[in-house]
Amino acid sequence: MGAQKRFIRTICLAALLVTSAANSALAHDAEAETEEGVASFYSDRFQGATTASGDTFDQQALTAAHPSLPLGSKVLVTRPDTGQEVEVLINDRGPFVQGRIIDLSKRAARELGMIRRGVAPVLVTLLD
């Protein structure tokens, strides 16, 4: 009887792991969709700060903060009004301002032509 219980537990655990992996894949597919919203960029006061990934923040790197995408993800950020786009690495969490979906480094913001206004409408597409 003990061997049967262990076998059943093993089968149940395997089923749980397979279900969990399938749910994770579904969640990843849902994240692969393009997100539309407003981008902002980091203040200079964060230069040299530690990001959520443990990196040192560098305004000249092509990085960004997103509230939920996995750290280490690459995304394409596109301004639909101008067609400008930039690829960035998600290495931090944020933004923490309502209505904004991504915080960019100054270099990424410059490549999108949004330094003067400080914010811009964007599309964020997960690349990997």
Side-chain angles (χ1 to χ4, degrees):
M1 195 64 136
Q4 279 184 330
K5 284 185 180 180
R6 280 194 301 273
F7 177 74
I8 290 171
R9 282 188 201 147
T10 302
I11 295 298
C12 289
L13 179 59
L16 181 62
L17 290 173
V18 168
T19 302
S20 176
N23 286 341
S24 177
L26 288 174
H28 182 71
D29 288 346
E31 291 174 349
E33 295 179 22
T34 299
E35 185 178 4
E36 184 174 358
V38 176
S40 54
F41 65 93
Y42 282 86
S43 163
D44 287 332
R45 70 185 172 118
F46 292 105
Q47 177 67 26
T50 302
T51 65
S53 67
D55 296 338
T56 300
F57 179 68
D58 178 3
Q59 283 281 33
Q60 298 311 308
L62 291 174
T63 59
H66 189 278
S68 60
L69 289 174
L71 297 173
S73 298
K74 289 188 179 182
V75 298
L76 181 67
V77 183
T78 306
R79 281 192 60 179
D81 58 337
T82 66
Q84 293 168 290
E85 57 187 29
V86 64
E87 187 176 315
V88 296
L89 176 74
I90 303 298
N91 71 343
D92 205 5
R93 292 293 174 218
F96 301 109
V97 175
Q98 188 173 355
R100 297 185 188 169
I101 63 168
I102 195 164
D103 261 339
L104 302 166
S105 66
K106 189 173 273 186
R107 178 176 172 198
R110 190 174 296 113
E111 291 195 21
L112 290 177
M114 57 179 277
I115 295 292
R116 177 169 256 185
R117 285 186 56 204
V119 295
V122 293
L123 302 173
V124 176
T125 305
L126 184 63
L127 296 176
D128 53 25

